[in-house]
Amino acid sequence: MMQPQQSSVSNTTVVVNQAAAPAHKPLRSWTTGLCGCFEDCGVCCCVTFCRPCAEMSLAMDMGENCCIPYLVPGWLVTLRTKIRTQHNIHGSVLDDCCLVYFCYECALCQTMREVKLTRGT
């Protein structure tokens, strides 16, 4: 009686050419300055006279739930970081934290203007 022979076949994949990683776009500045309220008076008035409406509007414009400003602590820092990452804007989470906690309304206005300008509306 013959026993079946076991053969071991090994496949090895060798990568000869690997696609280069996509080049990163250079970092840019915010489209408007922190104190650039006169560049869009509508945004400034909305934040000044109806801040809850402005906060909910920003959250929805960025594809988030309108309740984010009221349910997530530090929500504006998070959304500023999100837009900086999406649009290669220079800055850091620490910058965002400081701006939000010391200049909340200006940071909110700047973020709203950036979203409005990058959406093209």
Side-chain angles (χ1 to χ4, degrees):
M1 186 185 279
M2 268 181 101
Q3 291 186 355
Q5 292 183 346
Q6 294 180 0
S7 70
S8 139
V9 176
S10 171
N11 291 333
T12 303
T13 303
V14 177
V15 177
V16 177
N17 289 329
Q18 186 171 358
H24 293 284
K25 289 190 225 174
L27 294 177
R28 66 174 180 86
S29 297
W30 289 86
T31 306
T32 62
L34 184 64
C35 299
C37 284
F38 291 112
E39 295 181 40
D40 190 334
C41 291
V43 166
C44 186
C45 288
C46 184
V47 169
T48 301
F49 298 112
C50 191
R51 191 169 79 185
C53 295
E55 292 167 338
M56 290 187 299
S57 176
L58 174 62
M60 290 187 306
D61 288 349
M62 292 187 68
E64 301 294 338
N65 188 293
C66 68
C67 296
I68 291 291
Y70 307 103
L71 299 176
V72 178
W75 71 277
L76 187 53
V77 173
T78 305
L79 292 189
R80 282 181 66 88
T81 301
K82 178 180 177 180
I83 196 165
R84 275 191 315 93
T85 303
Q86 288 176 340
H87 297 284
N88 290 330
I89 298 172
H90 184 272
S92 69
V93 175
L94 182 60
D95 293 340
D96 294 333
C97 284
C98 290
L99 290 173
V100 167
Y101 291 111
F102 294 113
C103 302
Y104 181 84
E105 286 79 11
C106 293
L108 179 58
C109 286
Q110 182 185 39
T111 308
M112 289 181 72
R113 288 190 306 270
E114 191 68 35
V115 169
K116 189 175 178 181
L117 292 169
T118 55
R119 277 190 329 183
T121 58

